[in-house]
């Protein structure tokens, strides 16, 4: 029983530290620093309200193909080998208010920066 409690504690600690990314440290930085840290100009820049802009960076990411296929032949179901890799899209969006980065969100398999 002690082992389960120890494993549960370690799992919760790992989940808590997984969100401590360097991107979180960029909140409060000015827009020029944000763009320099991202490594290139944003793909999309939209002013949602006066003084507030949304900056989006899109980049393809290669992931292992999670699809597992099966074949049925002669009354037997057999798994087929994985088909390799697939391409997904990583979207990183920053909210910049009066030139200062205030919030971000990510969608897809984004690498940690």
């Amino acid at each position: 029983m002690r082992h389960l409690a120890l494993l549960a504690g370690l799992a919760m600690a790992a989940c808590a530290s997984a969100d401590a990314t360097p991107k979180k440290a960029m909140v409060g930085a000015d827009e020029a620093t944000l763009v320099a840290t991202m490594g290139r100009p944003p793909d999309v820049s939209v002013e949602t309200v006066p003084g507030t802009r949304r900056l989006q960076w899109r980049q393809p990411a290669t992931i292992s193909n999670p699809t597992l296929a099966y074949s049925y032949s002669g009354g037997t179901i057999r798994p087929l080998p994985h088909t390799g890799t697939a391409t997904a899209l990583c979207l990183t969006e920053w909210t910049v208010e009066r030139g200062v980065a205030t919030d971000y969100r990510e969608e897809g398999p984004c690498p940690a920066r």
Side-chain angles (χ1 to χ4, degrees):
M1 193 63 161
R2 282 186 192 164
H3 297 293
L4 290 176
L6 178 62
L7 287 175
L10 288 174
M12 287 182 5
C15 290
S17 64
D19 192 37
T21 63
K23 286 183 184 160
K24 194 168 226 168
M26 290 301 300
V27 173
D30 62 41
E31 186 175 340
T33 303
L34 175 65
V35 171
T37 301
M38 292 301 288
R40 61 184 171 88
D43 297 312
V44 177
S45 176
V46 177
E47 187 168 10
T48 55
V49 295
T52 301
R53 295 183 338 136
R54 300 243 172 154
L55 308 176
Q56 288 185 351
W57 284 265
R58 298 174 183 162
Q59 70 183 64
T62 303
I63 58 172
S64 63
N65 192 349
T67 305
L68 183 60
Y70 293 90
S71 71
Y72 178 77
S73 176
T76 304
I77 298 174
R78 295 183 184 165
L80 296 174
H82 286 284
T83 57
T85 59
T87 301
L89 183 67
C90 165
L91 170 77
T92 303
E93 180 179 270
W94 279 90
T95 302
V96 177
E97 296 178 16
R98 292 183 291 284
V100 177
T102 58
D103 193 21
Y104 75 95
R105 71 181 184 90
E106 293 180 326
E107 288 182 14
C110 297
R113 289 186 189 245

